[in-house]
Amino acid sequence: MSKIVGIDLGTTHSLVAMVDSGIPLVVADGEGRRLTPSVVHFPGLDQPTWVGVPANHVRALHPATTIYSIKRFMGRRCEELGEKDRQVDYPLNSQGLVKVPVHGREYLPEEISAEVLAKLRRDVSESLGEPVTRAVITVPAYFNDAQRSATKRAGELAGFQVERILNEPTAAALAYGLDKLGETARVAVYDLGGGTFDLSILELKQGVFQVIATHGDTRLGGDDLDQRLVDYLWGIICHEWARQNPGKPQLEIHPGLRARLREAAEQAKIKLSSDTGVDLALPFLVPGFSFQHHLTRDVLEQLTHDLIARTRPLCLQALADARLQTSDLDQVILVGGQTRMPLVRRFVADLFQCVEFSETRGNLRLGHDPHKSGGPALNVSQNPDEAVALGAAIQAEILAGGLNNLLLLDVTPLSLGLETFGGLMNVLIPRNSTIPVKAGELFTTAVDQQKSMLVHVLQGERERARDNWSLGRFTIEFAPAARGLARVGVQFEIDANGILHVLARDIQTGRQTTVDMRSAVDVDDGAVQQMVEESVENAFTDLAIRRWVESRLKAEATLAATREGLAACTDLDGEYRRQVQAAAKEVEEALATETEDRGNGDLPRLKASISSLDEITRPLADRLMDQAMEAMLKQRGII
Ligand code: AMP
């Protein structure tokens, strides 16, 4: 059996690791480099790509053909991208799935990621002296189905059999050796990398991991800090240029210049993690103009502190979801290159009220202190950017049977459900459910002689179907039958990779349709964080919408039954018929107060009118029931 390796496919860097004689190690490439920049350069049509460091070197020179941060676009559609997302130095297409046009060909993000993965595969095969074909690949906990599927495809394109798609924070906790704690412990994993942020809360019980809550932002990371610095420096550069060149036209930024500035900004940012000041020099930035500037850590912190502060509500939300307070946590671990920044460490220590925190201590501290009082301990690693890859290698070894006393349990980041009558979301698998998971529900038809049912699969936290993301839709057909008779069972199954499989079965005939959401790359996945925030922000409105829509459905059903009753009982007392009609009219009028978006109206009036109509039609309903009984008894020859 071939070795299984662990891969951290990062936004800025990727790493491959494996367990060798029981020890997880990051594998270096032929030149001894452990971190491979996730950058691919296409020198020309049908020419071999350059991957990693050489590609990174020509990024400023060939911005349009050197692709970086591709992870941001995995499994995403152009329509979902904000202006900020599109801020890359290479072009993107404008419709459908995000693609990158290079030398007249359009590449999917997974095809570009596959180039990075293929390089890692070559490196590790060379290092081992045998071909490596199996891998565990990590993704941010917030990646949705389409993003996970795209990652898996990238692995397959690179020639790997992808054994598991693993959440990054879970991998990190494994790397920090937290499974060795052996007793009940709760850990927060704060992961700020190049392009994504995740906060996950894990619970450990006798060496078993369970992710009990997770929150994140797929669009927040070190790249954003770099961008802030670029904007700031560009402002100074323009000012300086104007001062030195009075009367000349303003400087214009172009992709090559931006790429060069970004590189300088990132290097300055990294340096400011260990130094309090840095001298920036950009000779011959434009012909005849060089730029020098002294940048301090204080300025960097002022420019970026609000970006770091954006992680606060996400951390608090995860704690609230887990029903925990900071004092319930035993440890907070830091993952991702950006957590080396002193501001980030101070921020996390402060937010989680960590009791043990020293900015100078850079060593990895394992184990937890049973005598601690107050808040959790902050656990920092010298190489926070290696933790995920090392954890993936440990998971790979577990799968290969090398380490067997550990079980991994992950959770769903967002609720999954179906659209039901009235355009509401019916949740089948709630957010933060442990995966793998299966859940099902039976649905009946709403209309007589209905022949098919639309299964519309949704992901999100909002009450109204249209406010959630549509993962896909398909139709199941069945033999026409009276309303409520045809029944369709729908089952959702999320496998260990977090990929959703939907099955719909006609109960009568057993005929079933299975849709593997892996192929449904046409997924509307906006920002997960935004979704959760919106659901919190709109909680009251959403509740009002649900109440209104449910009341409307009830009103419509009661009105339909009333009309049927009035038509069936032709001999009703005239005065009673008028009373029923008046009550029905009042329901119709209350329904007419519905707002244009069909999400609200005069709810108290509608409810009062339904209950009056219910009340007044009770004798009518009794009569209909008697008539039905009589007909049935006659039919059976009893009377
Ligand atoms: P990762 O995705 O974990 O590889 O993290 C990459 C991000 O971490 C990039 O934005 C880097 O600029 C940033 N980074 C790496 N090292 C440092 C450092 N020493 N100080 C601040 N940021 C860093």
CSV table of all heavy atoms in Angstrom, one decimal, residues 85-110:
chain,number,residue,atom,x,y,z
A,85,ASP,N,-13.0,40.8,-3.8
A,85,ASP,CA,-12.5,39.5,-4.2
A,85,ASP,C,-11.8,39.5,-5.5
A,85,ASP,O,-10.9,38.8,-5.8
A,85,ASP,CB,-13.7,38.5,-4.4
A,85,ASP,CG,-14.4,38.2,-3.1
A,85,ASP,OD1,-13.7,37.8,-2.2
A,85,ASP,OD2,-15.6,38.4,-3.0
A,86,ARG,N,-12.3,40.4,-6.4
A,86,ARG,CA,-11.7,40.5,-7.7
A,86,ARG,C,-10.4,41.2,-7.7
A,86,ARG,O,-9.7,41.3,-8.8
A,86,ARG,CB,-12.7,41.1,-8.7
A,86,ARG,CG,-14.0,40.4,-8.8
A,86,ARG,CD,-14.8,40.9,-9.9
A,86,ARG,NE,-14.4,40.5,-11.2
A,86,ARG,CZ,-14.8,39.4,-11.9
A,86,ARG,NH1,-15.8,38.7,-11.4
A,86,ARG,NH2,-14.3,39.0,-13.0
A,87,GLN,N,-10.0,41.8,-6.6
A,87,GLN,CA,-8.7,42.5,-6.5
A,87,GLN,C,-7.5,41.6,-6.6
A,87,GLN,O,-6.8,41.4,-5.6
A,87,GLN,CB,-8.6,43.4,-5.3
A,87,GLN,CG,-9.3,44.7,-5.5
A,87,GLN,CD,-9.2,45.5,-4.2
A,87,GLN,OE1,-8.5,45.2,-3.2
A,87,GLN,NE2,-9.9,46.6,-4.2
A,88,VAL,N,-7.2,41.0,-7.7
A,88,VAL,CA,-6.0,40.2,-7.9
A,88,VAL,C,-5.3,40.8,-9.2
A,88,VAL,O,-6.0,41.5,-10.0
A,88,VAL,CB,-6.3,38.7,-8.1
A,88,VAL,CG1,-6.6,38.1,-6.8
A,88,VAL,CG2,-7.5,38.5,-9.1
A,89,ASP,N,-4.1,40.4,-9.4
A,89,ASP,CA,-3.3,41.0,-10.5
A,89,ASP,C,-3.5,40.3,-11.8
A,89,ASP,O,-3.0,40.7,-12.8
A,89,ASP,CB,-1.8,41.0,-10.1
A,89,ASP,CG,-1.6,41.8,-8.8
A,89,ASP,OD1,-2.3,42.8,-8.6
A,89,ASP,OD2,-0.6,41.4,-8.1
A,90,TYR,N,-4.3,39.3,-11.8
A,90,TYR,CA,-4.6,38.5,-13.0
A,90,TYR,C,-6.0,38.7,-13.4
A,90,TYR,O,-6.9,38.9,-12.5
A,90,TYR,CB,-4.1,37.1,-12.9
A,90,TYR,CG,-4.6,36.4,-11.7
A,90,TYR,CD1,-5.8,35.7,-11.6
A,90,TYR,CD2,-3.8,36.3,-10.5
A,90,TYR,CE1,-6.3,35.1,-10.5
A,90,TYR,CE2,-4.3,35.7,-9.4
A,90,TYR,CZ,-5.5,35.1,-9.4
A,90,TYR,OH,-5.9,34.4,-8.2
A,91,PRO,N,-6.4,38.5,-14.7
A,91,PRO,CA,-7.8,38.7,-15.0
A,91,PRO,C,-8.6,37.5,-14.6
A,91,PRO,O,-8.1,36.4,-14.4
A,91,PRO,CB,-7.7,38.8,-16.5
A,91,PRO,CG,-6.5,38.1,-17.0
A,91,PRO,CD,-5.5,38.2,-15.8
A,92,LEU,N,-9.9,37.7,-14.5
A,92,LEU,CA,-10.9,36.6,-14.2
A,92,LEU,C,-12.0,36.7,-15.2
A,92,LEU,O,-12.2,37.8,-15.7
A,92,LEU,CB,-11.5,36.8,-12.8
A,92,LEU,CG,-10.6,36.7,-11.6
A,92,LEU,CD1,-11.3,37.1,-10.3
A,92,LEU,CD2,-10.0,35.3,-11.4
A,93,ASN,N,-12.7,35.6,-15.5
A,93,ASN,CA,-13.8,35.7,-16.4
A,93,ASN,C,-15.0,36.5,-15.6
A,93,ASN,O,-14.8,36.8,-14.5
A,93,ASN,CB,-14.3,34.3,-16.8
A,93,ASN,CG,-14.7,33.5,-15.7
A,93,ASN,OD1,-14.3,33.7,-14.5
A,93,ASN,ND2,-15.6,32.5,-15.9
A,94,SER,N,-16.1,36.7,-16.3
A,94,SER,CA,-17.1,37.5,-15.6
A,94,SER,C,-18.4,36.8,-15.4
A,94,SER,O,-19.3,37.4,-14.8
A,94,SER,CB,-17.3,38.8,-16.5
A,94,SER,OG,-17.7,38.4,-17.8
A,95,GLN,N,-18.6,35.6,-15.9
A,95,GLN,CA,-19.8,34.9,-15.7
A,95,GLN,C,-19.6,33.4,-15.4
A,95,GLN,O,-18.6,32.8,-15.8
A,95,GLN,CB,-20.6,35.0,-17.0
A,95,GLN,CG,-21.6,36.2,-17.0
A,95,GLN,CD,-22.5,36.1,-18.1
A,95,GLN,OE1,-22.2,35.5,-19.2
A,95,GLN,NE2,-23.7,36.7,-18.0
A,96,GLY,N,-20.6,32.9,-14.6
A,96,GLY,CA,-20.5,31.4,-14.3
A,96,GLY,C,-19.4,31.1,-13.3
A,96,GLY,O,-19.0,32.0,-12.5
A,97,LEU,N,-18.9,29.9,-13.3
A,97,LEU,CA,-17.9,29.5,-12.4
A,97,LEU,C,-16.6,30.3,-12.6
A,97,LEU,O,-16.3,30.6,-13.8
A,97,LEU,CB,-17.5,28.0,-12.6
A,97,LEU,CG,-18.5,27.0,-12.1
A,97,LEU,CD1,-18.1,25.6,-12.6
A,97,LEU,CD2,-18.5,27.0,-10.6
A,98,VAL,N,-15.9,30.7,-11.6
A,98,VAL,CA,-14.8,31.5,-11.7
A,98,VAL,C,-13.7,30.7,-12.5
A,98,VAL,O,-13.4,29.6,-12.2
A,98,VAL,CB,-14.2,31.9,-10.4
A,98,VAL,CG1,-12.9,32.7,-10.5
A,98,VAL,CG2,-15.2,32.8,-9.6
A,99,LYS,N,-13.2,31.4,-13.5
A,99,LYS,CA,-12.1,30.8,-14.3
A,99,LYS,C,-11.0,31.9,-14.5
A,99,LYS,O,-11.3,33.1,-14.5
A,99,LYS,CB,-12.6,30.3,-15.7
A,99,LYS,CG,-13.5,29.1,-15.5
A,99,LYS,CD,-13.9,28.6,-16.9
A,99,LYS,CE,-15.0,27.6,-16.8
A,99,LYS,NZ,-15.9,27.6,-18.0
A,100,VAL,N,-9.8,31.4,-14.8
A,100,VAL,CA,-8.7,32.3,-15.1
A,100,VAL,C,-8.3,32.2,-16.5
A,100,VAL,O,-7.8,31.1,-16.9
A,100,VAL,CB,-7.5,32.1,-14.1
A,100,VAL,CG1,-6.5,33.1,-14.2
A,100,VAL,CG2,-8.0,32.0,-12.6
A,101,PRO,N,-8.4,33.2,-17.3
A,101,PRO,CA,-7.9,33.1,-18.7
A,101,PRO,C,-6.4,33.4,-18.8
A,101,PRO,O,-5.9,34.4,-18.3
A,101,PRO,CB,-8.7,34.2,-19.4
A,101,PRO,CG,-9.3,35.1,-18.4
A,101,PRO,CD,-9.1,34.5,-17.0
A,102,VAL,N,-5.7,32.4,-19.3
A,102,VAL,CA,-4.3,32.5,-19.5
A,102,VAL,C,-3.9,32.0,-20.9
A,102,VAL,O,-4.3,30.9,-21.2
A,102,VAL,CB,-3.5,31.7,-18.4
A,102,VAL,CG1,-2.0,32.1,-18.4
A,102,VAL,CG2,-4.0,31.8,-17.0
A,103,HIS,N,-3.2,32.8,-21.6
A,103,HIS,CA,-2.8,32.4,-23.0
A,103,HIS,C,-3.9,31.8,-23.8
A,103,HIS,O,-3.8,30.8,-24.4
A,103,HIS,CB,-1.6,31.4,-22.9
A,103,HIS,CG,-0.4,31.9,-22.2
A,103,HIS,ND1,0.2,33.1,-22.6
A,103,HIS,CD2,0.3,31.4,-21.2
A,103,HIS,CE1,1.3,33.3,-21.8
A,103,HIS,NE2,1.3,32.3,-20.9
A,104,GLY,N,-5.1,32.5,-23.7
A,104,GLY,CA,-6.2,32.0,-24.5
A,104,GLY,C,-6.9,30.8,-24.1
A,104,GLY,O,-7.9,30.4,-24.7
A,105,ARG,N,-6.5,30.3,-22.9
A,105,ARG,CA,-7.3,29.1,-22.3
A,105,ARG,C,-7.9,29.5,-21.0
A,105,ARG,O,-7.3,30.4,-20.3
A,105,ARG,CB,-6.3,28.0,-22.1
A,105,ARG,CG,-6.7,26.7,-22.7
A,105,ARG,CD,-6.1,25.5,-22.0
A,105,ARG,NE,-7.0,25.0,-20.9
A,105,ARG,CZ,-6.7,24.0,-20.1
A,105,ARG,NH1,-5.6,23.3,-20.3
A,105,ARG,NH2,-7.5,23.6,-19.2
A,106,GLU,N,-9.0,29.0,-20.6
A,106,GLU,CA,-9.6,29.3,-19.3
A,106,GLU,C,-9.3,28.2,-18.3
A,106,GLU,O,-9.7,27.0,-18.6
A,106,GLU,CB,-11.1,29.6,-19.4
A,106,GLU,CG,-11.3,30.9,-20.2
A,106,GLU,CD,-12.7,31.5,-19.9
A,106,GLU,OE1,-13.6,30.7,-19.8
A,106,GLU,OE2,-12.8,32.7,-19.8
A,107,TYR,N,-8.8,28.5,-17.2
A,107,TYR,CA,-8.5,27.5,-16.2
A,107,TYR,C,-9.4,27.6,-15.0
A,107,TYR,O,-9.7,28.7,-14.5
A,107,TYR,CB,-7.1,27.6,-15.7
A,107,TYR,CG,-6.0,27.3,-16.7
A,107,TYR,CD1,-5.6,28.3,-17.6
A,107,TYR,CD2,-5.5,26.0,-16.8
A,107,TYR,CE1,-4.6,28.0,-18.6
A,107,TYR,CE2,-4.5,25.7,-17.8
A,107,TYR,CZ,-4.1,26.7,-18.6
A,107,TYR,OH,-3.1,26.4,-19.6
A,108,LEU,N,-9.9,26.4,-14.5
A,108,LEU,CA,-10.7,26.4,-13.3
A,108,LEU,C,-9.7,26.5,-12.1
A,108,LEU,O,-8.6,26.0,-12.3
A,108,LEU,CB,-11.5,25.1,-13.2
A,108,LEU,CG,-12.8,25.0,-14.0
A,108,LEU,CD1,-13.3,23.6,-14.0
A,108,LEU,CD2,-13.9,25.9,-13.4
A,109,PRO,N,-10.2,27.0,-11.0
A,109,PRO,CA,-9.2,27.1,-9.8
A,109,PRO,C,-8.6,25.8,-9.5
A,109,PRO,O,-7.5,25.7,-9.1
A,109,PRO,CB,-10.1,27.7,-8.7
A,109,PRO,CG,-11.2,28.5,-9.4
A,109,PRO,CD,-11.4,27.7,-10.7
A,110,GLU,N,-9.5,24.7,-9.6
A,110,GLU,CA,-8.9,23.4,-9.2
A,110,GLU,C,-7.8,22.9,-10.1
A,110,GLU,O,-6.9,22.2,-9.7
A,110,GLU,CB,-10.0,22.3,-9.0
A,110,GLU,CG,-10.9,22.2,-10.2
A,110,GLU,CD,-12.2,22.9,-10.0
A,110,GLU,OE1,-12.1,24.1,-9.6
A,110,GLU,OE2,-13.3,22.4,-10.3
